[in-house]
Amino acid sequence: MNTGSDVFIRNTLLEGYDFFIKDEFNKEYHFKIASFPTPSGLLSEAIEFTGNDSPGYTFNLMSSLDTDMEYAELLLKEKIKKGINQKYHSNVINKQLIEKKGLCGRIESHYGELNSKYNKALLVENTRVTIEEFAELIDQLKGFEFEFRIKDAQ
């Protein structure tokens, strides 16, 4: 843990313990899990360890300060299990968008090479989709109604 004045910096990939889990399709995932107190409660975080710069899954769970750490991490592991079993295939993301009427993922900043004017991307099952690529996907859906929802990472 690094500190600088009133700032604490934690690195789950360095400080976390190893957690291995298989999805329904028998693919194994390697996560690093760590929990630490924050001013608003206990934060439990799981980051997929990919061994390279490719994006992986990230899950986190905020609990009250008096929550048992083992219980919080057990809930986090259930969240991981549910998340890794929700599948979209990168070559048919637009088909899934139409058939399933939705995509799940997260919005992330990217500080490396990213062919995007906005330097932001959506991460849908470990596939980075730039804002421009997403706009091209939804361009095919003219006439559809939509619901836009952003939810907390919990």
Side-chain angles (χ1 to χ4, degrees), residues 115-133:
N115 190 18
S116 173
K117 165 179 159 179
Y118 302 101
N119 208 33
K120 301 277 184 285
L122 303 175
L123 191 63
V124 180
E125 196 196 288
N126 297 336
T127 300
R128 207 176 264 128
V129 179
T130 66
I131 301 300
E132 293 87 352
E133 290 168 335

Side-chain angles (χ1 to χ4, degrees), residues 11-20 29-35 44-50 57-59 73 76-77 80:
N11 187 331
T12 299
L13 287 174
L14 294 177
E15 298 176 37
Y17 64 88
D18 294 309
F19 173 66
F20 296 89
Y29 296 86
H30 177 194
F31 286 90
K32 292 286 192 167
I33 295 179
S35 293
S44 299
E45 180 176 57
I47 299 176
E48 184 182 4
F49 183 76
T50 60
Y57 285 103
T58 299
F59 298 94
E73 290 179 0
L76 179 64
K77 289 174 184 177
I80 294 168

